[in-house]
Amino acid sequence: MASLFSSTRAIFSAAIALRIALLLYGQFQDAHSPMKYTDIDYFVFTDAARFVSRGQSPYDRDTYRYTPMLAWLLLPTTWRPWSFSFGKVLFAVGDIVAGWLMLRVLRSAEGGSLSQERALRFAAIWLLNPMVATISTRGSSEGLLCVLVVALLWAVLQRRIVLAGVLLGLAVHFKIYPFIYGVSILRWLDADTVFSKKKKKEEENVSSSPSSIDASFFSSLWNKALAFFNLVRISLIATSLTSFLVLNGIMYGQPFIQHTFLYHVTRIDHRHNFSPYNTLLHLNSSPAASPSALRLESLAFIPQLLLSTVAIPLILSKRDLASTMLAQTFAFVTFNKVCTSQYFLWYMVFLPFYLPHSSLLARPRLGLSAAALWLLAQAVWLQQGYQLEFLGQSTFAPGLWMAGTAFFLVNVWILGVIVSDVGRMRRPNPASSPADTVRSVKVQHKLA
């Protein structure tokens, strides 16, 4: 096993072999089992690609709620019957590319300067994860999104600001949730991370000179605002907005805006939904449901956005960017009114950056308890979901609702562990010597 993690080729070969095996198994299961391996969303993607191949809009396909770019990428699925699985292969390749980028970040000074073997061990959490490989080979497009997100993290850590802005705009266009990272990235990009020690000292001298200091409160606020909006932050905002707006501008107009963005404000999906809002969404989806001036599920985004876009990034982002992005995503998924298995990949992609310095590894009992409860809560929900969707038994209340609530509470507890860990991390000064640029994340694991 040690030799496996000492060889980059061995890890990536094993990751590719795992996905090939699952692709072949999926073909067999689809042909011989009433329970299909291929995700229903994949048929939506390929149907939309078929509409595009005929010169029509991908939104002519009911329930297509994605960027037209995805339908364009899957045009090869319409060429021949044997090319139907092209999209699955593309998504699986996305998994591999994301793993390669993880390895680059973990090996870099900004990402921890881990040894090759240790970096491979943590990258393998993604590359050899059967859940990640299964979701992509079933036809979920999350692998492509995860490539964009890890590439964004790498670009920011490498101070490639224009590239980071383009990637952020592209990621938000592809799926709206990555906008939450904008706040943490902007806060992280201060003089400590983007300027050299000499440049930072010059800025401090200027800000402390008599001409730059005003006794008035409003002048002080103005100076702080000017200091915050440095050239790097302005560049990131400008490039991300430009790429986002340009991509949106070349799409299909109002149908694109409605189906890709506005739909998610009012969506009431209740199938395969781990959220405790599941039963409420089911009741409100009924035509017989009485209209109400206030729909509780419409307010779900308030705690979700307060945590993921305000509290967590403002408090934690200066500690460690990658781990803050994990906490943001975990909060966003946990408090979302729709929560499916594919969404778990959104935060799992950040685990290799957080775990090397986490209490979940430093205290094995805590880590095993968290993993066991997370899996057990899912299993209980899936058992209730199986009875509902395959056996036709109504388990919405109390079974499914209680299972969703239990899973929610487990996730809130794990989020608390993550936030506590990130809060104890000590941010390095990248402007220091190379020895000091190693991320000196010192998590205090002493028991109270």
Side-chain angles (χ1 to χ4, degrees):
M1 184 62 71
S3 60
L4 174 66
F5 291 106
S6 63
S7 169
T8 303
R9 179 177 296 180
I11 289 292
F12 280 88
S13 297
I16 293 170
L18 172 62
R19 285 157 178 81
I20 291 174
L22 288 171
L23 285 168
L24 295 175
Y25 171 76
Q27 297 280 1
F28 175 83
Q29 182 173 326
D30 284 347
H32 296 90
S33 173
M35 186 183 297
K36 303 303 181 184
Y37 182 82
T38 301
D39 194 307
I40 188 66
D41 285 345
Y42 189 70
F43 293 104
V44 176
F45 300 159
T46 54
D47 286 349
R50 191 171 297 108
F51 279 111
V52 170
S53 71
R54 298 169 182 167
Q56 299 173 258
S57 166
Y59 300 108
D60 289 340
R61 204 300 185 184
D62 291 339
T63 74
Y64 185 78
R65 314 292 186 189
Y66 312 91
T67 168
M69 190 181 300
L70 182 58
W72 299 343
L73 287 172
L74 297 189
L75 278 175
T77 63
T78 67
W79 295 347
R80 295 288 188 274
W82 53 263
S83 67
F84 178 74
S85 294
F86 170 81
K88 298 179 182 179
V89 175
L90 178 65
F91 303 152
V93 169
D95 285 350
I96 303 298
V97 175
W100 176 75
L101 286 169
M102 285 177 195
L103 192 60
R104 291 200 62 177
V105 172
L106 290 168
R107 294 279 291 143
S108 68
E110 297 83 358
S113 288
L114 301 187
S115 66
Q116 180 72 8
E117 181 174 342
R118 194 156 185 257
L120 277 172
R121 286 180 182 274
F122 287 106
I125 294 172
W126 172 267
L127 288 167
L128 302 183
N129 190 317
M131 184 176 184
V132 173
T134 299
I135 287 175
S136 290
T137 54
R138 290 188 66 217
S140 173
S141 63
E142 310 309 318
L144 297 182
L145 183 63
C146 289
V147 171
L148 295 176
V149 169
V150 181
L152 168 65
L153 174 64
W154 174 82
V156 173
L157 293 178
Q158 296 297 318
R159 286 75 172 170
R160 302 192 179 189
I161 303 303
V162 173
L163 176 59
V166 171
L167 288 170
L168 180 58
L170 176 58
V172 176
H173 166 82
F174 199 87
K175 190 158 286 189
I176 193 171
Y177 86 89
F179 82 91
I180 65 177
Y181 305 136
V183 180
S184 53
I185 293 172
L186 285 172
R187 183 158 171 76
W188 187 84
L189 288 173
D190 57 14
D192 287 332
T193 57
V194 299
F195 296 126
S196 66
K197 186 183 292 184
K198 181 179 178 181
K199 175 76 172 178
K200 182 185 173 187
K201 187 173 181 180
E202 290 174 356
E203 286 209 341
E204 289 174 346
N205 290 338
V206 170
S207 64
S208 61
S209 64
S211 60
S212 65
I213 296 178
D214 194 294
S216 72
F217 174 74
F218 292 105
S219 178
S220 177
L221 286 180
W222 176 251
N223 289 335
K224 288 180 179 179
L226 290 178
F228 180 83
F229 287 103
N230 56 47
L231 182 61
V232 175
R233 285 176 170 137
I234 293 173
S235 177
L236 179 73
I237 294 171
T239 51
S240 60
L241 281 176
T242 300
S243 62
F244 177 72
L245 293 175
V246 167
L247 287 169
N248 292 353
I250 62 176
M251 296 303 164
Y252 289 81
Q254 179 59 30
F256 162 73
I257 300 295
Q258 176 61 42
H259 291 286
T260 306
F261 297 125
L262 299 182
Y263 163 76
H264 295 282
V265 178
T266 58
R267 66 184 298 190
I268 53 173
D269 302 27
H270 59 84
R271 291 187 176 274
H272 322 294
N273 183 3
F274 289 88
S275 169
Y277 293 101
N278 181 23
T279 302
L280 185 60
L281 294 175
H282 166 68
L283 294 174
N284 287 336
S285 68
S286 171
S290 59
S292 171
L294 178 64
R295 302 180 75 98
L296 183 60
E297 73 278 4
S298 299
L299 304 178
F301 69 91
I302 296 177
Q304 178 191 33
L305 295 184
L306 282 177
L307 277 173
S308 61
T309 65
V310 181
I312 290 175
L314 292 182
I315 295 172
L316 299 180
S317 57
K318 285 184 176 292
R319 298 286 184 173
D320 181 77
L321 180 60
S323 298
T324 299
M325 292 168 76
L326 166 66
Q328 286 180 272
T329 316
F330 205 99
F332 188 91
V333 173
T334 297
F335 285 84
N336 200 26
K337 66 181 179 181
V338 177
C339 178
T340 66
S341 297
Q342 291 93 324
Y343 294 3
F344 302 156
L345 268 61
W346 297 357
Y347 56 73
M348 290 175 69
V349 76
F350 292 109
L351 286 178
F353 311 117
Y354 158 75
L355 286 176
H357 315 283
S358 72
S359 61
L360 297 178
L361 285 188
R363 295 161 57 188
R365 183 177 296 179
L366 175 65
L368 290 173
S369 298
L373 286 173
W374 190 77
L375 292 171
L376 179 62
Q378 278 189 72
V380 171
W381 190 97
L382 290 170
Q383 187 269 340
Q384 293 292 311
Y386 175 80
Q387 291 188 36
L388 172 68
E389 297 193 15
F390 289 91
L391 303 183
Q393 301 175 9
S394 179
T395 59
F396 278 105
L400 204 64
W401 179 81
M402 291 182 66
T405 302
F407 186 58
F408 172 77
L409 293 175
V410 168
N411 279 288
V412 168
W413 172 64
I414 295 174
L415 176 62
V417 174
I418 295 171
V419 168
S420 179
D421 281 350
V422 181
R424 296 189 185 104
M425 293 179 180
R426 180 164 60 85
R427 172 185 176 177
N429 182 3
S432 303
S433 64
D436 295 331
T437 61
V438 177
R439 183 172 63 179
S440 55
V441 182
K442 305 294 185 182
V443 181
Q444 304 298 322
H445 299 299
K446 295 181 180 180
L447 295 172

